Amino acid sequence: MLSNDPVPTPQQLFRWLDSGRISREEFRTAMAVHAGELIQEMEQAHANPLVAKFNELMNRREAWKWSRRHGEVVMREILCALMDEERFAPARWLWNAAHPHVPLHCFFRTRGTPVLRFEEMTVHPQNASVLIEHGGSETLAPTREKFYFRRNRQGILNVERREMV
């Protein structure tokens, strides 16, 4: 049985399938929604390659800026912690952030809609905080949230709390 969210994240879907909460057919149907979104993005990029290339360059710049300041490993840890956060809409694009062969810039969306942009970040060995701007559309402004992270006993970074800014 699927939750009330219109599109659960792929990570949630894998967990639900493994635990027997959903059937293989429900899993395939939900993953088809994610595949459809990816195909739609590729079609938009193909229809307007100049805008797509500009967006890619801006995303690369954003990823380079934050990874230069804090390191790619920390950036991937933060993205993975956000991936597991409930009711965080951009989590559906972060499901493979732990895979080092996927370029870091693929997870940023600095232009267009929906947006996923880091505004400020503070990183310490045991905790971190990140101000993120996400979502939005042509008529709605993006949401700004501050996430606070803390390492657990296994050394894994988890979201401790979040607040709207």
PDB file of all heavy atoms in Angstrom, residues 109-126:
ATOM      1  N   ARG A 109      19.783  21.877  -8.611  1.00  0.00           N
ATOM      2  CA  ARG A 109      18.886  22.484  -9.589  1.00  0.00           C
ATOM      3  C   ARG A 109      18.825  23.968  -9.269  1.00  0.00           C
ATOM      4  O   ARG A 109      17.959  24.426  -8.532  1.00  0.00           O
ATOM      5  CB  ARG A 109      17.495  21.864  -9.509  1.00  0.00           C
ATOM      6  CG  ARG A 109      17.493  20.412  -9.923  1.00  0.00           C
ATOM      7  CD  ARG A 109      16.209  19.731  -9.507  1.00  0.00           C
ATOM      8  NE  ARG A 109      16.256  18.347  -9.887  1.00  0.00           N
ATOM      9  CZ  ARG A 109      15.726  17.861 -11.001  1.00  0.00           C
ATOM     10  NH1 ARG A 109      15.097  18.641 -11.819  1.00  0.00           N
ATOM     11  NH2 ARG A 109      15.820  16.587 -11.269  1.00  0.00           N
ATOM     12  N   THR A 110      19.787  24.707  -9.814  1.00  0.00           N
ATOM     13  CA  THR A 110      19.896  26.118  -9.472  1.00  0.00           C
ATOM     14  C   THR A 110      18.973  27.006 -10.288  1.00  0.00           C
ATOM     15  O   THR A 110      18.634  28.094  -9.861  1.00  0.00           O
ATOM     16  CB  THR A 110      21.343  26.607  -9.668  1.00  0.00           C
ATOM     17  OG1 THR A 110      21.739  26.352 -11.011  1.00  0.00           O
ATOM     18  CG2 THR A 110      22.287  25.903  -8.716  1.00  0.00           C
ATOM     19  N   ARG A 111      18.582  26.576 -11.444  1.00  0.00           N
ATOM     20  CA  ARG A 111      17.713  27.356 -12.329  1.00  0.00           C
ATOM     21  C   ARG A 111      16.469  26.544 -12.670  1.00  0.00           C
ATOM     22  O   ARG A 111      16.446  25.333 -12.557  1.00  0.00           O
ATOM     23  CB  ARG A 111      18.439  27.695 -13.629  1.00  0.00           C
ATOM     24  CG  ARG A 111      19.682  28.500 -13.440  1.00  0.00           C
ATOM     25  CD  ARG A 111      19.332  29.979 -13.412  1.00  0.00           C
ATOM     26  NE  ARG A 111      20.535  30.776 -13.470  1.00  0.00           N
ATOM     27  CZ  ARG A 111      20.935  31.533 -12.453  1.00  0.00           C
ATOM     28  NH1 ARG A 111      20.255  31.580 -11.346  1.00  0.00           N
ATOM     29  NH2 ARG A 111      22.023  32.260 -12.577  1.00  0.00           N
ATOM     30  N   GLY A 112      15.460  27.233 -13.170  1.00  0.00           N
ATOM     31  CA  GLY A 112      14.239  26.555 -13.580  1.00  0.00           C
ATOM     32  C   GLY A 112      13.429  26.109 -12.384  1.00  0.00           C
ATOM     33  O   GLY A 112      13.665  26.535 -11.254  1.00  0.00           O
ATOM     34  N   THR A 113      12.460  25.282 -12.631  1.00  0.00           N
ATOM     35  CA  THR A 113      11.623  24.767 -11.547  1.00  0.00           C
ATOM     36  C   THR A 113      11.569  23.264 -11.662  1.00  0.00           C
ATOM     37  O   THR A 113      11.537  22.738 -12.766  1.00  0.00           O
ATOM     38  CB  THR A 113      10.186  25.343 -11.628  1.00  0.00           C
ATOM     39  OG1 THR A 113       9.652  25.064 -12.909  1.00  0.00           O
ATOM     40  CG2 THR A 113      10.167  26.824 -11.349  1.00  0.00           C
ATOM     41  N   PRO A 114      11.520  22.554 -10.606  1.00  0.00           N
ATOM     42  CA  PRO A 114      11.689  22.985  -9.220  1.00  0.00           C
ATOM     43  C   PRO A 114      13.159  23.215  -8.890  1.00  0.00           C
ATOM     44  O   PRO A 114      14.047  22.646  -9.519  1.00  0.00           O
ATOM     45  CB  PRO A 114      11.132  21.827  -8.412  1.00  0.00           C
ATOM     46  CG  PRO A 114      11.386  20.639  -9.267  1.00  0.00           C
ATOM     47  CD  PRO A 114      11.258  21.119 -10.691  1.00  0.00           C
ATOM     48  N   VAL A 115      13.410  24.027  -7.891  1.00  0.00           N
ATOM     49  CA  VAL A 115      14.755  24.434  -7.500  1.00  0.00           C
ATOM     50  C   VAL A 115      15.242  23.559  -6.345  1.00  0.00           C
ATOM     51  O   VAL A 115      14.462  23.136  -5.506  1.00  0.00           O
ATOM     52  CB  VAL A 115      14.726  25.915  -7.047  1.00  0.00           C
ATOM     53  CG1 VAL A 115      16.010  26.336  -6.385  1.00  0.00           C
ATOM     54  CG2 VAL A 115      14.412  26.815  -8.216  1.00  0.00           C
ATOM     55  N   LEU A 116      16.528  23.276  -6.308  1.00  0.00           N
ATOM     56  CA  LEU A 116      17.200  22.700  -5.138  1.00  0.00           C
ATOM     57  C   LEU A 116      18.550  23.386  -5.061  1.00  0.00           C
ATOM     58  O   LEU A 116      19.459  23.096  -5.832  1.00  0.00           O
ATOM     59  CB  LEU A 116      17.371  21.187  -5.239  1.00  0.00           C
ATOM     60  CG  LEU A 116      18.154  20.554  -4.080  1.00  0.00           C
ATOM     61  CD1 LEU A 116      17.445  20.800  -2.752  1.00  0.00           C
ATOM     62  CD2 LEU A 116      18.351  19.085  -4.296  1.00  0.00           C
ATOM     63  N   ARG A 117      18.643  24.341  -4.137  1.00  0.00           N
ATOM     64  CA  ARG A 117      19.831  25.188  -4.060  1.00  0.00           C
ATOM     65  C   ARG A 117      20.252  25.328  -2.606  1.00  0.00           C
ATOM     66  O   ARG A 117      19.412  25.544  -1.735  1.00  0.00           O
ATOM     67  CB  ARG A 117      19.464  26.550  -4.654  1.00  0.00           C
ATOM     68  CG  ARG A 117      20.539  27.498  -4.834  1.00  0.00           C
ATOM     69  CD  ARG A 117      20.113  28.779  -5.560  1.00  0.00           C
ATOM     70  NE  ARG A 117      18.703  29.099  -5.478  1.00  0.00           N
ATOM     71  CZ  ARG A 117      17.966  29.481  -6.516  1.00  0.00           C
ATOM     72  NH1 ARG A 117      18.483  29.580  -7.704  1.00  0.00           N
ATOM     73  NH2 ARG A 117      16.704  29.779  -6.361  1.00  0.00           N
ATOM     74  N   PHE A 118      21.548  25.221  -2.346  1.00  0.00           N
ATOM     75  CA  PHE A 118      22.093  25.428  -1.009  1.00  0.00           C
ATOM     76  C   PHE A 118      22.417  26.912  -0.872  1.00  0.00           C
ATOM     77  O   PHE A 118      23.102  27.470  -1.715  1.00  0.00           O
ATOM     78  CB  PHE A 118      23.363  24.613  -0.796  1.00  0.00           C
ATOM     79  CG  PHE A 118      23.133  23.139  -0.618  1.00  0.00           C
ATOM     80  CD1 PHE A 118      22.019  22.502  -1.123  1.00  0.00           C
ATOM     81  CD2 PHE A 118      24.039  22.378   0.073  1.00  0.00           C
ATOM     82  CE1 PHE A 118      21.812  21.152  -0.956  1.00  0.00           C
ATOM     83  CE2 PHE A 118      23.858  21.019   0.251  1.00  0.00           C
ATOM     84  CZ  PHE A 118      22.733  20.406  -0.273  1.00  0.00           C
ATOM     85  N   GLU A 119      21.935  27.524   0.189  1.00  0.00           N
ATOM     86  CA  GLU A 119      22.182  28.946   0.417  1.00  0.00           C
ATOM     87  C   GLU A 119      23.371  29.168   1.345  1.00  0.00           C
ATOM     88  O   GLU A 119      24.174  30.046   1.110  1.00  0.00           O
ATOM     89  CB  GLU A 119      20.929  29.621   0.992  1.00  0.00           C
ATOM     90  CG  GLU A 119      19.738  29.600   0.059  1.00  0.00           C
ATOM     91  CD  GLU A 119      19.959  30.461  -1.170  1.00  0.00           C
ATOM     92  OE1 GLU A 119      20.562  31.545  -1.056  1.00  0.00           O
ATOM     93  OE2 GLU A 119      19.538  30.035  -2.255  1.00  0.00           O
ATOM     94  N   GLU A 120      23.422  28.412   2.434  1.00  0.00           N
ATOM     95  CA  GLU A 120      24.562  28.504   3.350  1.00  0.00           C
ATOM     96  C   GLU A 120      24.744  27.169   4.044  1.00  0.00           C
ATOM     97  O   GLU A 120      23.798  26.391   4.179  1.00  0.00           O
ATOM     98  CB  GLU A 120      24.383  29.631   4.368  1.00  0.00           C
ATOM     99  CG  GLU A 120      23.205  29.479   5.290  1.00  0.00           C
ATOM    100  CD  GLU A 120      23.011  30.670   6.208  1.00  0.00           C
ATOM    101  OE1 GLU A 120      23.003  31.801   5.715  1.00  0.00           O
ATOM    102  OE2 GLU A 120      22.864  30.441   7.423  1.00  0.00           O
ATOM    103  N   MET A 121      25.985  26.917   4.470  1.00  0.00           N
ATOM    104  CA  MET A 121      26.299  25.628   5.074  1.00  0.00           C
ATOM    105  C   MET A 121      27.399  25.817   6.115  1.00  0.00           C
ATOM    106  O   MET A 121      28.372  26.526   5.876  1.00  0.00           O
ATOM    107  CB  MET A 121      26.764  24.647   4.002  1.00  0.00           C
ATOM    108  CG  MET A 121      27.023  23.267   4.517  1.00  0.00           C
ATOM    109  SD  MET A 121      27.652  22.121   3.262  1.00  0.00           S
ATOM    110  CE  MET A 121      26.597  22.397   1.895  1.00  0.00           C
ATOM    111  N   THR A 122      27.204  25.172   7.258  1.00  0.00           N
ATOM    112  CA  THR A 122      28.215  25.134   8.304  1.00  0.00           C
ATOM    113  C   THR A 122      28.462  23.674   8.629  1.00  0.00           C
ATOM    114  O   THR A 122      27.511  22.942   8.916  1.00  0.00           O
ATOM    115  CB  THR A 122      27.720  25.865   9.572  1.00  0.00           C
ATOM    116  OG1 THR A 122      27.303  27.173   9.202  1.00  0.00           O
ATOM    117  CG2 THR A 122      28.810  25.950  10.614  1.00  0.00           C
ATOM    118  N   VAL A 123      29.729  23.264   8.569  1.00  0.00           N
ATOM    119  CA  VAL A 123      30.064  21.865   8.791  1.00  0.00           C
ATOM    120  C   VAL A 123      31.098  21.761   9.905  1.00  0.00           C
ATOM    121  O   VAL A 123      32.114  22.462   9.881  1.00  0.00           O
ATOM    122  CB  VAL A 123      30.603  21.199   7.505  1.00  0.00           C
ATOM    123  CG1 VAL A 123      31.007  19.765   7.761  1.00  0.00           C
ATOM    124  CG2 VAL A 123      29.574  21.277   6.397  1.00  0.00           C
ATOM    125  N   HIS A 124      30.817  20.909  10.876  1.00  0.00           N
ATOM    126  CA  HIS A 124      31.736  20.564  11.958  1.00  0.00           C
ATOM    127  C   HIS A 124      31.892  19.045  11.939  1.00  0.00           C
ATOM    128  O   HIS A 124      31.100  18.348  11.292  1.00  0.00           O
ATOM    129  CB  HIS A 124      31.190  21.043  13.304  1.00  0.00           C
ATOM    130  CG  HIS A 124      30.978  22.522  13.355  1.00  0.00           C
ATOM    131  ND1 HIS A 124      32.003  23.425  13.422  1.00  0.00           N
ATOM    132  CD2 HIS A 124      29.840  23.255  13.327  1.00  0.00           C
ATOM    133  CE1 HIS A 124      31.515  24.645  13.440  1.00  0.00           C
ATOM    134  NE2 HIS A 124      30.200  24.580  13.372  1.00  0.00           N
ATOM    135  N   PRO A 125      32.878  18.495  12.659  1.00  0.00           N
ATOM    136  CA  PRO A 125      33.078  17.041  12.607  1.00  0.00           C
ATOM    137  C   PRO A 125      31.847  16.211  13.012  1.00  0.00           C
ATOM    138  O   PRO A 125      31.573  15.189  12.398  1.00  0.00           O
ATOM    139  CB  PRO A 125      34.227  16.798  13.581  1.00  0.00           C
ATOM    140  CG  PRO A 125      34.985  18.068  13.580  1.00  0.00           C
ATOM    141  CD  PRO A 125      33.959  19.155  13.405  1.00  0.00           C
ATOM    142  N   GLN A 126      31.084  16.663  14.011  1.00  0.00           N
ATOM    143  CA  GLN A 126      29.955  15.862  14.490  1.00  0.00           C
ATOM    144  C   GLN A 126      28.589  16.397  14.082  1.00  0.00           C
ATOM    145  O   GLN A 126      27.581  15.726  14.285  1.00  0.00           O
ATOM    146  CB  GLN A 126      30.003  15.736  16.019  1.00  0.00           C
ATOM    147  CG  GLN A 126      31.156  14.893  16.514  1.00  0.00           C
ATOM    148  CD  GLN A 126      31.090  13.475  15.981  1.00  0.00           C
ATOM    149  OE1 GLN A 126      30.039  12.843  15.982  1.00  0.00           O
ATOM    150  NE2 GLN A 126      32.208  12.977  15.498  1.00  0.00           N
TER     151      GLN A 126
END
